[in-house]
Amino acid sequence: MDTDVLIVGAGPTGLTLANELRLAAVSTVLVDKLPQRSMLSKAGGVQSRTQEAFDQRGLLEPLLALGNHPVGTAHFAGIALPLTRDRHRHPWRSIPQVVIEGFLEQHLAAQGIQMRRDHELTGIAQDVDGITATFADSDVVRSRYLVAADGGHSTVRSLLRAEFPGRAGTLTTVAADVRLSGDDQAMTHARSEDGHWAMVFPLGTDPQGRPLRRLSLGGPGRSLPREAPVTEDEIREGLRAVFGSRVKLLEVRYARRITNAARQAARYRHGRVFLAGDAAHVHLPIGAQGMNTGIQDALNLGWKLGAAVHGWAPEHLLDTYHAERHPVAAAVLRNVQAQSLLMDQEGTRDPDLMAVKELFAALTRLRDVQYHLDDTLSGMGIRYPMPGAGEHPLVGLPSPDLDLGPVRSHELLRRGRGVLIDPADRFAEVAATWEDRVDRAGQGADAEPMLIRPDGYVCWAGDPDALEPALGHWFGEPR
Ligand SMILES: Cc1cc2nc3c(=O)[nH]c(=O)nc-3n(C[C@H](O)[C@H](O)[C@H](O)COP(=O)(O)OP(=O)(O)OC[C@H]3O[C@@H](n4cnc5c(N)ncnc54)[C@H](O)[C@@H]3O)c2cc1C
């Protein structure tokens, strides 16, 4: 083997996974076909859960220190959810994808992980022991596992002939990074009487410190073929149709047409090959979910691959990647579908739809409805099935950040290992047999006992008799 894991694609998913595998002390080769990182920013919105996960790796503080990344308000179909703003330790934030990618790339380089750029994967052959990957420049890499983080048009997925069911795009809208004058700082979703709409988000600042905006535009007659170039006049006209002369276009830094295609791989695991990020799921970027879902795929998969490489993964562990992550992206696809419809992207002004939208807007003024929507859009409501772990309300959810005196429990996750919080010092004996994989902490703290997986999810709490089976289920045979 040349390496344990070959990661194809150095977008946010591949970069996050490379960092997880580094933590797990697994040898990794990360390749990307681009000679250099794309400076085009796609994603802008970063969910609470993604920020929390970065914090659990010690990455959030240095990432936020890189610039002015404004806190915003999550929205569902353009309807702001202000009551959710202070619900989580890390509120919804705008951080451009290019900033996240650049940060992760530098972090990996500082840890000695280099990526191979200008390296396009063109073929794979899988056997019982591993995968042989071939590249456009005739290079060959042999690895035990391969992760396809190569985006929506994934080469690996095509080579596998993996099923990618769903719907082809039926419309396009414009997404552009712009500078504007006359808009306010907050997220705005505005529409005109005749169905034209615009959505504006703060997107940090340009190198001169001037505020940038992510602008989305659509409406009647605005769904042009995807390949048709987006012109400045088109953007100016779209703004005028919605805001009149109030908002003016100062600069277009980048513009593209996006479609509402929605597809998800039927299986995330194909033997020793795993699909992650956009390679596994694509949808219209509404509600800041694509990059976040990809990063969270990587966090879910990384420690499991580490366990498999180091030989302690229980038989079922790698299969839990599909079992846990497929339903998450399926739910994202469904909520995007609902948002797309409610937003009336084509500007039909259909009276039946308008009636539903009016009713929905009224419902979203209720706190519980906002909380329900926020559970999905923040990533904080994701709950994984934890067989045999009992009914404790924390089980399956992201772990709370417990104050354990000298440290916070999230800081303990920086090693990328399991953590057993044992305030009453009851579980020393059982924990000792997993001490090469699980850290025990929190003795004497005022906290509930719980077992936390390396990706930050509670996999046991409550019933003491269920602890040992939970350790075996997630961390393999005792030493
Ligand atoms: C306008 C827009 C706005 C968006 N806004 C948001 C948002 O606010 N929040 C959010 O969460 N998401 C958002 N998204 C979605 C987000 O950008 C994607 O979900 C994210 O880029 C997926 O990351 P990835 O790493 O899985 O794939 P990608 O970012 O597509 O990266 C794949 C990488 O693989 C490389 N590659 C491809 N083929 C090969 C090959 N054969 N060999 C080697 N390398 C290869 C590519 O060069 C690329 O670098 C938005 C998308 C768009 C278009």
Side-chain angles (χ1 to χ4, degrees), residues 8-15 31-34 41-47 92 97 101 117 119-122 135 149-156 175-176 214 254 256 258 276-279 281 283 285-294:
V8 185
T13 306
L15 289 162
V31 298
D32 200 291
K33 68 179 178 184
L34 295 178
S41 199
K42 294 195 285 182
V46 183
Q47 296 175 347
W92 193 97
Q97 183 167 333
E101 289 179 6
R117 286 210 166 274
H119 226 61
E120 181 175 0
L121 177 128
T122 49
F135 291 84
D150 52 347
H153 300 284
S154 169
T155 309
V156 176
R214 162 58 49 74
Y254 149 63
R256 61 189 289 173
I258 53 178
D278 277 16
H281 38 77
H283 55 81
I286 303 183
Q289 302 183 86
M291 175 181 73
N292 287 279
T293 308

Side-chain angles (χ1 to χ4, degrees), residues 224-245:
L224 302 184
R226 194 176 182 184
E227 317 70 49
V230 181
T231 65
E232 277 200 23
D233 280 349
E234 182 184 353
I235 295 177
R236 207 166 269 121
E237 167 53 27
L239 282 170
R240 198 202 51 74
V242 178
F243 298 110
S245 57

Side-chain angles (χ1 to χ4, degrees), residues 80-100:
L81 306 175
L83 303 179
T84 67
R85 197 175 154 124
D86 300 321
R87 198 173 172 216
H88 310 295
R89 182 188 180 108
H90 306 288
W92 193 97
R93 227 177 248 282
S94 162
I95 312 178
Q97 183 167 333
V98 278
V99 173
I100 294 177

